[in-house]
Amino acid sequence: MKITIVSLRDCAIYLEAHTLRMCRLVSSIFKIDKTGAILPVQIADEEFRSRLKQLDILGKNGFPETIKYELNNIPVNSKFIVIVGKNYQTDQIILYRLKGVVYELNGEENTIQPYAERMEQLSSNYSVCIFNGQGRMQYIGEADKSKRVCRFCHRSAPLTSFTHKSHAISESLGYKSLVCHEECDECNEYFSRTIEPDVVNMHSFLLSLCGISGKKGTRKTCGENFKFWLDRSSRQYNSQGTFMMQLKDLHIENGDIRTSFQNLPPLDTSSLKYIPQNVYKCFCKYAVSCLPQNQIGFFQKTIDWINAPANYRRLPMVACCSVDHIAPMFSLCIRKEQDYRYPYCWASLNIANVRYMFIVPFSSQDRYSFTTKA
């Protein structure tokens, strides 16, 4: 059973119950009609909150603590919508429409309408592919190894090999389920030691704060004189965990820890270096990894730029904003018509609770560079 919940909170809530027992338990927290169907409009009153306590029956391993937290934080006595049988996580247009309905149900101004109209315009101008980084495994490109051609060096077997699993977007950012078949072992190793570490270093604190799990579990941010991480073992006491910091040169004077912290030297983050252009290159490398095969030829100059050493280039601006819901989502937008006022390809990338929106530059289908004056 799939359920989408849209409330006055910034983010929608998505539930999936895979067993009959869990389906019955999830259904029991909502009001139902005479046939036993969940009513589409619910109220977050005290009765609803008392029913939420039934979720504890499943234990800490049965129902995600984050979902309990989200449900408990729907504004008190507000109305919200429950859609059964659908997961609209990848359909932003429908979510914007539902959000507008929720505003109207609660007698509030529909401030989301302009955004809904912009999304409608976007869908008319662009084909949008949305990738969920933690859903079912998604494989991009040629499945047969003997027929693969690397997107980044254009070599195939026997000149190169495809033995390693190449994640389309770095697994260290939480994207575990996207695999690009068409990235050879040599290019995979090259990117892993050149541009990909720049993205991780730039977001290291954020990845630790949000408890994003990479190849080796929850990330620890390590500087020259400190370590910082999220201790998930304490989730039984709170929904997220406890932030831990290990300091290399902390000497407690006369048992007074406050004085010791006041004299603490600055955290040394010199090991977390990054080059902003490398970050942009890596974002575009993710986009090329997710492109449909018939689009690769339009981005040869983009690939050449990604492979080249960092140097001065005038590039489009990158927009970013915070998002309330931490989810590894990547959207790739490709222009439908030859309307050169718009960039041919742009993308949206979630890293922890930050969303980046960027143009993929140097496409042969663009007439303009979409850059600002220096």
Side-chain angles (χ1 to χ4, degrees):
M1 179 171 67
K2 297 180 179 180
I3 294 178
T4 299
I5 300 170
V6 183
S7 69
L8 290 175
R9 285 180 59 78
D10 288 341
C11 61
I13 303 171
Y14 310 99
L15 299 178
E16 287 197 22
H18 302 288
T19 65
L20 180 59
R21 178 170 176 258
M22 188 176 284
C23 287
R24 289 173 177 171
L25 189 59
V26 170
S27 298
S28 69
I29 66 177
F30 301 109
K31 290 184 178 179
I32 58 176
D33 61 19
K34 294 180 180 179
T35 66
I38 296 174
L39 293 172
V41 178
Q42 303 278 329
I43 301 177
D45 51 17
E46 289 302 321
E47 183 183 349
F48 169 71
R49 280 176 167 71
S50 66
R51 292 196 299 269
L52 285 179
K53 296 178 181 178
Q54 299 179 60
L55 296 178
D56 294 329
I57 297 173
L58 287 176
K60 63 181 181 180
N61 296 322
F63 202 88
E65 293 290 337
T66 53
I67 299 296
K68 295 181 191 177
Y69 175 84
E70 296 288 348
L71 291 170
N72 271 301
N73 280 273
I74 295 175
V76 176
N77 293 326
S78 66
K79 295 179 180 179
F80 61 95
I81 294 175
V82 179
I83 301 96
V84 180
K86 296 288 185 180
N87 184 331
Y88 289 118
Q89 191 169 4
T90 59
D91 197 326
Q92 290 296 315
I93 294 176
I94 291 180
L95 287 175
Y96 275 125
R97 289 174 179 169
L98 291 172
K99 192 76 169 182
V101 173
V102 170
Y103 279 134
E104 293 171 2
L105 286 172
N106 287 280
E108 297 193 11
E109 181 183 359
N110 186 357
T111 57
I112 207 74
Q113 184 61 30
Y115 298 99
E117 293 173 355
R118 290 175 189 172
M119 290 298 295
E120 294 278 6
Q121 183 181 14
L122 174 65
S123 65
S124 64
N125 291 329
Y126 285 90
S127 297
V128 182
C129 298
I130 300 179
F131 301 89
N132 181 358
Q134 286 186 342
R136 293 181 178 178
M137 293 300 296
Q138 293 176 270
Y139 298 94
I140 303 165
E142 177 59 58
D144 188 343
K145 288 185 180 181
S146 64
K147 298 179 180 179
R148 291 179 190 173
V149 177
C150 179
R151 298 186 173 202
F152 300 98
C153 68
H154 305 301
R155 292 183 298 169
S156 57
L159 297 178
T160 191
S161 58
F162 297 88
T163 57
H164 300 297
K165 181 187 291 185
S166 298
H167 285 84
I169 301 175
S170 300
E171 189 179 5
S172 54
L173 303 180
Y175 287 79
K176 296 180 177 295
S177 63
L178 298 178
V179 173
C180 179
H181 283 318
E182 297 169 347
E183 181 179 330
C184 72
D185 296 338
E186 290 183 38
C187 286
N188 180 254
E189 190 276 333
Y190 171 75
F191 293 131
S192 69
R193 60 179 171 81
T194 54
I195 58 177
E196 289 180 347
D198 289 60
V199 177
V200 176
N201 286 346
M202 177 180 173
H203 298 90
S204 187
F205 274 101
L206 191 61
L207 295 171
S208 296
L209 278 169
C210 296
I212 303 299
S213 296
K215 292 182 179 179
K216 299 179 181 179
T218 304
R219 180 171 180 78
K220 285 187 177 181
T221 294
C222 299
E224 294 299 316
N225 60 350
F226 73 94
K227 288 184 181 180
F228 176 77
W229 70 96
L230 176 66
D231 179 15
R232 289 191 176 278
S233 64
S234 59
R235 283 197 301 177
Q236 57 183 318
Y237 307 111
N238 54 59
S239 62
Q240 183 70 5
T242 302
F243 298 121
M244 308 289 288
M245 182 174 287
Q246 179 181 333
L247 301 169
K248 184 177 180 180
D249 298 315
L250 177 63
H251 304 287
I252 300 177
E253 300 178 3
N254 300 321
D256 189 350
I257 193 169
R258 291 176 298 177
T259 302
S260 300
F261 270 105
Q262 289 171 358
N263 298 324
L264 186 70
L267 299 181
D268 187 347
T269 60
S270 59
S271 60
L272 300 173
K273 296 179 180 178
Y274 63 91
I275 299 173
Q277 187 176 156
N278 279 354
V279 175
Y280 196 167
K281 281 186 176 183
C282 195
F283 285 1
C284 293
K285 182 262 178 184
Y286 298 154
V288 172
S289 295
C290 294
L291 281 170
Q293 285 178 312
N294 62 356
Q295 295 288 326
I296 302 297
F298 299 138
F299 293 90
Q300 184 53 53
K301 289 184 178 180
T302 308
I303 294 169
D304 292 342
W305 166 66
I306 293 171
N307 285 323
N311 57 5
Y312 175 79
R313 297 296 296 264
R314 186 180 293 177
L315 299 167
M317 298 290 287
V318 176
C320 67
C321 64
S322 61
V323 290
D324 191 39
H325 188 61
I326 299 173
M329 301 292 293
F330 181 72
S331 303
L332 189 64
C333 306
I334 299 175
R335 195 181 65 221
K336 294 179 180 178
E337 307 294 338
Q338 292 184 343
D339 189 340
Y340 298 109
R341 297 174 301 170
Y342 303 101
Y344 183 68
C345 180
W346 67 275
S348 170
L349 171 70
N350 283 15
I351 299 178
N353 63 344
V354 176
R355 176 173 297 156
Y356 291 95
M357 288 154 283
F358 59 95
I359 294 171
V360 181
F362 312 124
S363 167
S364 62
Q365 299 300 298
D366 282 324
R367 288 185 178 177
Y368 309 109
S369 60
F370 300 100
T371 59
T372 55
K373 293 182 179 180

